[in-house]
Amino acid sequence: MTFADPLDRPPSKRNSAVNAWLRLVRLPNLLTVPGDAVAGYVLSIGASAEFSAPVLWAAAAGLIFYVAGLILNDLADVDEDRRNRPDRPIAAGLISTRAAWRAALAALGLGLVFCSASGWRCLAAGCALAVAVAAYNFLPRSGILPIILLGACRALNVGLGIASAGAGNAAAWIGAGMVGLYVAALSLPARGELSGERPGFSAWLPMAALLTGGAALVLAGDVSESAAARAAVPFLVAVGLSGAAARQLCRGPRSAAPAAVGSLIGALMPLQSALILASGGHGFAVAAAIAVMLAWPANRLLARAFAPS
């Protein structure tokens, strides 16, 4: 008995399979992930931050954990997707549940391997993140618990970078909390994406989370005036994007809600760039902040072809 090599499939089927996996992992969103760990790392070290292998492993681990979480999310929601989102890859039968489970578990395992390469602290943070990812996807989705867990997943992603630096400081922990609070806040207006309901006041919560976190970082994070000035531009970009998305959610056509939610997710990149620059670092920090900002237009371009939410 022989098995056909995947490369022997007709090009249309190969392309369809690749497209299904890219849709499953929400390709545009992947660009929003590595900046979390980099921000946690440089904020922990401060102005003397330079590139090191541990931060690379931490960023890679965060990305692969994110992929695992997205696959688990579709697995957990497959029955609902069959009713309300039948075009999702697993619900549509384009990817089997067996293949999706294998990919998700392999990604979780690989994420822990990457964490171990960054050190035992990062491995401990990775274990906490893996538990949070599983809890978010498989515990009951009612009430405030899923909102807290979603924010915790993203804060722990920043925590991978903090752990890769060896230890955190006030600025790093505030930065992690800021990212987590922002993601938790954007999950509220995102809930109305399917129902078509206007989110009302909750649409403005992501911007409020940014402003609150920014004030806390400046007041309690021991950020120098020069670092705060450098971070101001990308931070204001993030605030502006969140405000524009809130306005679109509240006043725009309901069909525009997915694009507005995608814009809120994309605003994580200027936020990460601001946090990186707030460290006061030069060289690596500046290069990383620029790279994260350059990924933002790529995220917006990819969002035209692959739904980010």
Side-chain angles (χ1 to χ4, degrees):
M1 185 176 185
T2 60
F3 295 87
D5 190 304
L7 294 178
D8 291 334
R9 297 175 186 171
S12 59
K13 291 187 177 181
R14 290 202 304 269
N15 293 340
S16 177
V18 171
N19 183 274
W21 281 101
L22 294 179
R23 287 175 53 218
L24 179 61
V25 301
R26 296 171 176 85
L27 181 61
N29 293 1
L30 301 186
L31 297 176
T32 73
V33 181
D36 285 344
V38 177
Y41 173 80
V42 297
L43 281 171
S44 296
I45 294 179
S48 61
E50 294 293 342
F51 173 78
S52 69
V55 69
L56 180 64
W57 287 115
L63 181 61
I64 202 70
F65 279 133
Y66 191 84
V67 167
L70 292 175
I71 298 173
L72 289 175
N73 186 257
D74 271 42
L75 284 167
D77 292 346
V78 65
D79 291 333
E80 179 185 345
D81 285 346
R82 285 170 179 153
R83 293 190 300 270
N84 300 317
R85 296 177 292 261
D87 61 328
R88 289 296 299 161
I90 298 177
L94 300 175
I95 296 173
S96 69
T97 55
R98 186 175 185 179
W101 272 112
R102 286 178 174 175
L105 295 176
L108 286 174
L110 186 59
L112 292 175
V113 171
F114 287 168
C115 285
S116 66
S118 187
W120 69 267
R121 291 182 178 86
C122 193
L123 178 59
C127 289
L129 178 52
V131 170
V133 166
Y136 169 73
N137 284 302
F138 294 106
L139 287 181
R141 296 287 186 86
S142 59
I144 195 172
L145 180 61
I147 298 171
I148 294 173
L149 286 171
L150 185 61
C153 286
R154 205 70 196 224
L156 284 167
N157 201 34
V158 181
L160 294 179
I162 296 173
S164 73
N169 54 25
W173 295 120
I174 292 171
M178 189 175 175
V179 172
L181 183 62
Y182 177 77
V183 169
L186 76 81
S187 72
L188 293 170
R191 285 183 166 187
E193 185 181 336
L194 258 185
S195 65
E197 296 178 2
R198 301 271 185 198
F201 174 74
S202 67
W204 299 95
L205 290 179
M207 187 172 73
L210 290 178
L211 294 173
T212 302
L217 187 63
V218 171
L219 295 175
D222 195 25
V223 176
S224 68
E225 290 184 6
S226 60
R230 288 196 307 168
V233 172
F235 178 75
L236 291 175
V237 170
V239 171
L241 290 172
S242 63
R247 182 180 178 86
Q248 189 175 15
L249 285 166
C250 291
R251 301 183 182 180
R254 294 183 181 182
S255 60
V261 173
S263 182
L264 285 172
I265 297 171
L268 278 163
M269 284 176 285
L271 170 58
Q272 294 159 351
S273 181
L275 291 175
I276 293 168
L277 292 175
S279 69
H282 302 279
F284 171 66
V286 173
I290 293 173
V292 171
M293 277 303 296
L294 289 176
W296 175 70
N299 165 272
R300 296 293 77 213
L301 184 62
L302 287 171
R304 297 180 181 180
F306 299 93
S309 65

